[in-house]
Amino acid sequence: MSDKIPEGNRSARERLAQQREREKGREKRRRTLIVASAVVGVLALAAVVGLIAANAGKDDGGDTASGPAVAPSGAIGEDALTLPVGAADAPSTLTIWEDFRCPVCAQFETAFKDTITELADDGRVKVEYHLATIIDGNLGGTGSLRAANAAACAQDAGKFAAYHDVLFANQPPEPDDAFGKNSRLIELAGEVEGLDTPSFRSCVEDGEHDSWVKKSDTAFREGGFQGTPTVLLNGESVFPSKGDEQISPENLKKWVAVANKGKKPGTAAPSAPADGSSAPADPSSAPAS
């Protein structure tokens, strides 16, 4: 038997080898293209994530909150970031973080406003409000900031609670930055008796508490909260549920009753003076957040 490969078989094998090499080249180029496309996709995703993160960090769209933080009258707690409503010696504390542009916050207020007012008026809870501006960061605009500043101006006049309710009752659709207009906020102040005064207008138009609002929003972001509204009863989250029970007006009253068992209702005057006069912050009273 000859050890030589016939010429015809040699040529066939060479052609087959060449074809395999060409196929290997095409496969290598295909894999290279796949890897390159994946890298581009990852970079594009990173760019989108970066854009989202950048947008989330935008508080007010401007430099109106760059000055010193001026706390409103009667603000209490750490850094005076808490706006109190109800008896200061109430046995339980309901802490609420809200954004005036937040639609879920408006839904919460619609469902629980009467219950919370009843609990506060009866001295069963003191309510500690904190303001955030996350919608401005997520959607752009300044409505969260402007409304929060106006609410702080209302606090100066001893009318925070009433104006707070008016703002949520007149909340524009989430993408609508109507609260970004000071004129609209002043217009709504007309629904609270005695609030629309020259001093209130000046406070709103000058952004007197803008830096304080920004400081409050920073505290919200650094607090590890998941969103607004954040609702805590004596430091424990109760929104949207507490344990296995969903929040409802009835359950909230029940939870407060359990927390207050054996304790007397509060009778002390509200922490925030009703006449809008300045009151010193209580250094021992820190927000429950």
Side-chain angles (χ1 to χ4, degrees), residues 5-221:
I5 301 174
E7 188 65 23
N9 290 343
R10 187 191 303 274
S11 298
R13 290 186 179 183
E14 289 176 350
R15 287 196 300 271
L16 182 60
Q18 292 172 355
Q19 182 178 352
R20 286 176 178 172
E21 287 299 318
R22 288 195 296 271
E23 289 175 353
K24 288 181 181 179
R26 285 196 295 269
E27 179 65 15
K28 184 177 180 180
R29 288 193 296 273
R30 186 180 72 84
R31 290 180 180 178
T32 301
L33 180 59
I34 291 173
V35 172
S37 299
V39 171
V40 171
V42 170
L43 291 176
L45 178 60
V48 171
V49 171
L51 178 60
I52 293 173
N55 286 337
K58 295 177 183 177
D59 290 335
D60 51 45
D63 295 327
T64 58
S66 59
V70 179
S73 299
I76 64 172
E78 185 177 355
D79 293 329
L81 296 178
T82 304
L83 301 181
V85 173
D89 61 345
S92 285
T93 301
L94 191 67
T95 303
I96 303 176
W97 288 86
E98 292 180 313
D99 181 331
F100 287 109
R101 286 182 71 186
C102 162
V104 182
C105 296
Q107 293 167 11
F108 171 79
E109 287 295 332
T110 298
F112 290 92
K113 179 183 69 173
D114 292 343
T115 301
I116 293 172
T117 299
E118 177 186 336
L119 291 170
D121 288 349
D122 290 348
R124 286 180 276 174
V125 299
K126 61 176 178 257
V127 188
E128 296 187 342
Y129 287 98
H130 298 258
L131 307 181
T133 63
I134 61 174
I135 305 300
D136 284 359
N138 292 341
L139 298 182
T142 60
S144 299
L145 172 67
R146 300 262 49 78
N149 173 70
C153 295
Q155 169 73 13
D156 287 335
K159 299 181 182 296
F160 167 78
Y163 187 61
H164 161 278
D165 292 348
V166 167
L167 287 177
F168 277 119
N170 291 274
Q171 185 188 74
E174 188 176 12
D176 183 351
D177 195 32
F179 281 172
K181 297 180 180 179
N182 290 331
S183 57
R184 175 57 176 161
L185 299 169
I186 292 172
E187 177 186 1
L188 290 174
E191 298 187 20
V192 178
E193 184 178 359
L195 180 56
D196 187 7
T197 62
S199 60
F200 174 80
R201 291 188 173 214
S202 176
C203 180
V204 172
E205 292 170 347
D206 293 346
E208 184 171 331
H209 300 298
D210 281 1
S211 291
W212 176 84
V213 172
K214 185 174 183 181
K215 192 172 185 178
S216 179
D217 183 65
T218 298
F220 171 78
R221 294 173 186 274

Side-chain angles (χ1 to χ4, degrees), residues 271-289:
S271 301
D275 61 0
S277 60
S278 178
D282 179 359
S284 65
S285 176
S289 54

Side-chain angles (χ1 to χ4, degrees), residues 215-250:
K215 192 172 185 178
S216 179
D217 183 65
T218 298
F220 171 78
R221 294 173 186 274
E222 293 178 349
F225 303 116
Q226 298 303 308
T228 53
T230 288
V231 185
L232 311 171
L233 177 60
N234 296 328
E236 180 182 2
S237 176
V238 295
F239 182 87
S241 62
K242 179 179 181 291
D244 296 330
E245 293 183 289
Q246 294 293 314
I247 192 171
S248 67
E250 294 75 19

